[in-house]
């Protein structure tokens, strides 16, 4: 890991009359997997959406490879090499799996132009996608949609992968599939920023961790340090964590 | 006690389900009308007329429904482009009198295609200006959109009166396209056959673009979840302007065809057709091009059957159709899955 790929410096975000982020400082080291933890409403999703330009930061800087991207429009942010999997997965349900993938591959004019070797690699991670390749995505189960959403984000090499709660509502077997897939992604040196409520999942994958509360990052450090310190976990994550532990 | 039913395999292959039921309504309506009409030749005449009318309405409505689906823009000014197309046709065909008076079908068709090309180019260009000046300032504000696009429609109608005058202008069919041909005992107007052929060609072209090109994929995806299309790195605004311009050009094309269908053009033509196309896109499911195709055919057929069977309720029949469809499917025949 050499330096930060992404850094948020004192980011404030307002949504309408609501002041959601109150000066977020966050560093995502290059090549590692950073987990953003925190209770519901802490500002995790808003942080991701602010990075993507889906909400506009009212104050502060969002530095990607050293350049401030806080004022850029969402398509431009994406074209810098940032892939985003939203909490609702953003799967186009009227389109087939193939069409969903073809859209995500900006370099391909049609599905046949998607890099074949990379597609095989993705099918290796998520075999269900091959099986349902020509099916409308709306017919997939929740877990399969999540697989498609992640597959879409990695259909072409990207510098940063931002994923909002990939295990939400998934069956344990599929969560395990996700863990394996993210392990494989980590091997390719992709930088990943993950919002997660499932501490088990987070601990299995995270290199670094940031904990949010009330629109601020209240703790940042290595995952190993947090995983080894029960008192810290109790203080930062409280009862919600105890249930998962 | 019987053994509990075996649970289905967890990863059973979901069936690819194509919802054909709404499409079946079209032949069902045609078949249901047959005994009421009584005479088979009359039924054929009415059915061809209905399909021709339906396809013209589809050409006009397809752009409107996609504009709504992509950006939630309700453009009540769409009728201006119809009127513009129809009036341009009177000018172009009037200027090509030698071609339209010729008994040669090729010369006639060349004149019509010239009128269509001019109408599409001008309507598309005016559409681009309309989007820039009238629509863009009121994105996301529905009430203002309705008011200002209606205002744009009124201004457009008045401008047309300034250029072409307030009175009706005859738009006679070219010589070789007048009259009917006999298919069995049924008389089918030649122009209606031409309209059906052109309508089907446009339908095929729209569906080829929507299903086989990347721009089409982006449109279909953008109708469902515009934010995600942007997060994938595509500028949806450009796409929207493109769809708006294409939709305006198609409305201009539809205006030429509608004017020739009526054989006369009045400045209020846009407002008249506006009502029909809004019924069509609501029946079809807002944002669905396929739905507007089925809706347009239903409206076209019903208007012709009702006009023949019970002229007094003809005006009311399309509203009734909309009510019935919405009772069955409140989101329209082919609801678009919004996130």
């Amino acid at each position: 890991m050499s330096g930060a790929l992404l850094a948020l410096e004192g980011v404030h975000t307002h949504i309408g009359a609501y002041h959601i982020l109150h000066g977020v400082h966050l560093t995502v080291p290059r090549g590692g997997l950073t987990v953003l933890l925190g209770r519901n409403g802490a500002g995790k999703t808003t942080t991701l959406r602010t990075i993507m330009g889906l909400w506009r930061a009212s104050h502060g800087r969002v530095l990607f490879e050293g350049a401030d991207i806080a004022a850029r429009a969402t398509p431009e942010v994406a074209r810098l090499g940032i892939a985003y999997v939203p909490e609702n997965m953003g799967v186009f349900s009227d389109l087939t799996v193939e069409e969903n993938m073809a859209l995500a591959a900006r370099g391909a004019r049609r599905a046949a132009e998607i890099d074949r070797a990379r597609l095989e690699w993705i099918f290796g991670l998520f075999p269900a996608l091959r099986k349902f390749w020509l099916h409308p995505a709306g017919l997939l189960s929740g877990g399969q949609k999540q697989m498609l959403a992640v597959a879409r984000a990695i259909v072409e090499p990207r510098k940063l992968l931002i994923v909002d709660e990939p295990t939400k509502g998934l069956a344990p077997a599929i969560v395990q599939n996700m863990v394996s897939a993210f392990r494989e992604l980590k091997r390719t040196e992709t930088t990943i920023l993950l919002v997660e409520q499932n501490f088990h999942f987070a601990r299995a994958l995270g290199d670094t961790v940031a904990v949010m509360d009330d629109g601020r990052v209240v703790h940042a450090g290595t995952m190993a340090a947090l995983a080894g310190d029960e008192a810290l976990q109790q203080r930062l994550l409280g009862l919600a964590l105890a249930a998962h532990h | 006690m019987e053994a509990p039913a075996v649970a289905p395999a967890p990863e059973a292959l979901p069936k690819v389900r194509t919802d054909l039921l709404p499409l079946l309504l079209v032949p069902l309506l045609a078949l249901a009308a047959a005994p009421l009409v009584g005479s088979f030749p009359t039924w054929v005449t009415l059915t061809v007329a209905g399909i021709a009318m339906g396809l013209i309405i589809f050409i006009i409505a397809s752009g409107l429904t996609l504009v709504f689906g992509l950006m939630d823009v309700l453009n009540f000014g769409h009728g201006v482009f119809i009127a513009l197309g129809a009036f341009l046709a009177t000018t172009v065909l009037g200027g090509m009198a030698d071609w339209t008076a010729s008994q040669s079908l090729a010369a006639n068709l060349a004149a019509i295609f010239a009128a269509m090309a001019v109408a599409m180019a001008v309507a598309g260009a005016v559409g681009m200006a309309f989007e820039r000046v009238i629509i863009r300032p009121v994105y996301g504000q529905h009430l203002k959109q309705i008011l200002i696009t209606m205002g744009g429609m009124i201004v457009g109608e008045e401008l047309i009166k300034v250029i072409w005058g307030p009175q009706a202008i005859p738009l006679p069919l070219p010589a070789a396209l007048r009259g009917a041909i006999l298919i069995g005992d049924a008389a089918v107007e030649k122009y209606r056959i031409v309209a059906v052929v052109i309508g089907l060609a446009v339908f095929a072209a729209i569906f080829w673009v929507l299903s086989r090109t990347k721009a089409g994929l982006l449109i279909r995806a953008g109708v469902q979840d515009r934010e995600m299309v942007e997060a994938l790195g595509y500028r949806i605004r450009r796409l929207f302007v493109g769809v708006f311009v294409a939709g305006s050009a198609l409305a201009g094309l539809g205006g030429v065809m509608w004017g020739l269908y009526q054989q006369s053009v009045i400045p209020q033509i846009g407002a008249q057709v506006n009502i029909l196309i809004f019924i069509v896109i609501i029946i079809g499911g807002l944002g669905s091009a396929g739905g507007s195709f089925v809706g347009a055919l239903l409206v076209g057929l019903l208007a012709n059957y009702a006009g023949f069977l019970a002229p007094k309720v003809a005006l009311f029949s399309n509203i009734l159709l909309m009510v019935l469809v919405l009772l069955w499917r409140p989101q329209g025949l082919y609801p678009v899955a919004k996130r």
Side-chain angles (χ1 to χ4, degrees):
Chain A
M1 282 179 231
S2 53
L5 179 65
L6 177 78
L8 275 65
E9 295 180 352
V11 169
H12 289 254
T13 299
H14 291 76
I15 302 175
Y18 299 95
H19 191 173
I20 310 288
L21 299 187
H22 299 265
V24 170
H25 290 271
L26 174 71
T27 304
V28 177
R30 197 181 291 271
L33 191 149
T34 301
V35 181
L36 204 50
L37 289 169
R39 58 173 183 79
N40 279 333
K44 305 185 299 292
T45 294
T46 304
T47 301
L48 299 193
R49 288 179 61 87
T50 303
I51 296 168
M52 286 309 295
L54 291 163
W55 299 129
R56 187 75 55 205
S58 42
H59 194 260
R61 301 203 297 167
V62 179
L63 299 169
F64 183 70
E65 297 187 310
D68 189 0
I69 62 168
R72 299 212 189 172
T74 303
E76 292 175 47
V77 174
R79 280 169 184 270
L80 293 172
I82 304 179
Y84 172 58
V85 180
E87 198 175 0
N88 69 9
M89 300 180 275
V91 162
F92 304 116
S93 49
D94 285 356
L95 272 55
T96 64
V97 172
E98 179 189 46
E99 288 170 331
N100 269 276
M101 294 290 280
L103 266 191
R106 284 196 295 274
R109 273 167 302 169
R110 56 185 74 85
E113 290 180 10
I114 301 175
D115 179 0
R116 199 64 221 176
R118 196 162 174 94
L119 205 51
E120 286 301 324
W121 173 66
I122 290 171
F123 286 153
L125 299 177
F126 305 119
L129 297 185
R130 187 200 299 274
K131 196 160 137 196
F132 299 120
W133 189 239
L134 297 176
H135 288 250
L139 295 182
L140 300 181
S141 69
Q144 289 160 348
K145 278 184 190 153
Q146 190 60 262
M147 292 175 191
L148 172 58
V150 175
R152 225 168 42 171
I154 58 174
V155 65
E156 288 171 329
R158 304 277 184 244
K159 291 175 189 161
L160 173 64
L161 194 56
I162 297 178
V163 189
D164 200 346
E165 282 208 60
T167 65
K168 195 180 175 187
L170 298 191
I174 299 176
V175 172
Q176 205 46 52
N177 187 176
M178 279 291 166
V179 172
S180 315
F182 277 101
R183 285 225 168 95
E184 173 64 23
L185 276 174
K186 285 181 67 174
R187 259 199 289 279
T188 65
E189 307 265 295
T190 310
T191 308
I192 301 170
L193 172 60
L194 202 70
V195 159
E196 193 48 72
Q197 300 256 27
N198 179 343
F199 186 64
H200 204 65
F201 183 80
R203 196 175 47 181
L205 291 166
D207 300 311
T208 50
V209 60
V211 181
M212 290 191 73
D213 198 20
D214 279 337
R216 290 181 187 85
V217 171
V218 294
H219 169 86
T222 66
M223 181 55 88
L226 180 62
D229 188 341
E230 296 239 357
L232 188 61
Q233 288 170 26
Q234 275 295 339
R235 184 167 67 76
L236 292 172
L237 304 165
L239 292 173
L241 173 57
H244 286 293
H245 201 55
Chain B
M1 215 173 108
E2 290 193 25
V6 179
E11 277 232 71
L13 205 75
K15 286 216 174 64
V16 179
R17 169 179 52 91
T18 318
D19 186 7
L20 289 175
L21 221 52
L23 199 55
L24 277 177
L25 284 181
V26 178
L28 278 179
L29 175 64
L31 289 177
L36 297 172
V37 172
S39 133
F40 180 70
T42 309
W43 177 80
V44 171
T45 304
L46 290 173
T47 304
V48 173
I51 291 172
M53 179 176 161
L55 286 169
I56 296 172
I57 296 173
F58 164 73
I59 290 172
I60 296 168
S62 56
L64 188 65
T65 200
L66 290 176
V67 159
F68 177 81
L70 268 183
M71 298 298 264
D72 282 347
V73 168
L74 269 177
N75 178 18
F76 281 91
H78 201 62
V80 164
F81 307 114
I82 305 167
L84 188 59
F87 276 94
L88 283 165
T90 64
T91 303
V92 174
L93 292 180
M96 295 178 80
D98 292 349
W99 297 62
T100 55
S102 159
Q103 287 298 326
S104 149
L105 182 64
N108 290 177
L109 288 178
I112 287 186
F113 288 142
M116 287 174 171
V118 171
M120 288 180 80
V122 176
V126 173
M128 190 180 273
F130 196 92
E131 195 276 336
R132 185 76 190 80
V133 177
I134 294 185
I135 308 261
R136 202 171 293 184
V138 290
Y139 270 123
Q141 307 171 59
H142 278 159
L143 182 62
K144 285 186 182 171
Q145 269 170 17
I146 292 171
L147 294 174
I148 199 166
T149 56
M150 277 188 166
M153 171 103 179
I154 294 167
V155 172
E157 207 173 290
E158 294 305 313
L159 284 175
I160 283 172
K161 285 182 193 165
V162 170
I163 298 171
W164 281 283
Q167 73 288 5
I169 298 180
L171 184 58
L173 285 166
L177 292 175
R178 286 173 206 157
I181 54 170
L182 282 174
I183 301 177
D185 288 334
V188 175
E189 286 184 29
K190 291 178 195 166
Y191 174 67
R192 288 177 184 167
I193 297 174
V194 173
V196 168
V197 171
I198 295 173
L200 287 176
V202 172
F203 171 75
I206 289 175
F207 272 74
W208 182 82
V209 169
L210 285 179
S211 60
R212 292 277 177 270
T213 69
K214 188 119 185 188
L217 269 189
L218 283 168
I219 292 168
R220 285 160 58 210
V223 166
Q224 285 176 56
D225 189 343
R226 143 172 106 224
E227 193 173 280
M228 193 62 220
V229 171
E230 297 213 289
L232 288 176
Y234 299 98
R235 296 172 187 90
I236 200 132
R237 277 224 36 94
R238 285 189 191 176
L239 185 70
F240 173 74
V241 172
V243 169
F244 197 92
V245 169
S248 306
L250 284 172
L253 170 64
V256 176
M257 295 175 73
W258 188 266
L260 286 167
Y261 188 83
Q262 303 280 338
Q263 299 191 30
S264 142
V265 178
I266 51 169
Q268 296 79 16
I269 181 174
Q272 289 171 351
V273 183
N274 236 3
I275 298 169
L276 282 180
I277 56 179
F278 271 92
I279 290 176
V280 162
I281 67 172
I282 290 167
I283 287 179
L286 287 164
S288 162
S292 72
F293 179 69
V294 176
L297 287 177
L298 290 175
V299 164
L301 285 171
L302 190 62
N304 278 276
Y305 294 140
F308 176 78
L309 292 169
K312 281 184 182 161
V313 300
L315 278 174
F316 162 72
S317 66
N318 285 313
I319 302 281
L320 180 69
L321 175 70
M322 180 168 76
V323 170
L324 291 177
V325 166
L326 293 184
L327 282 174
W328 177 41
R329 293 195 172 180
Q331 304 290 317
L333 293 173
Y334 287 108
V336 172
K338 286 262 182 187
R339 78 192 156 84

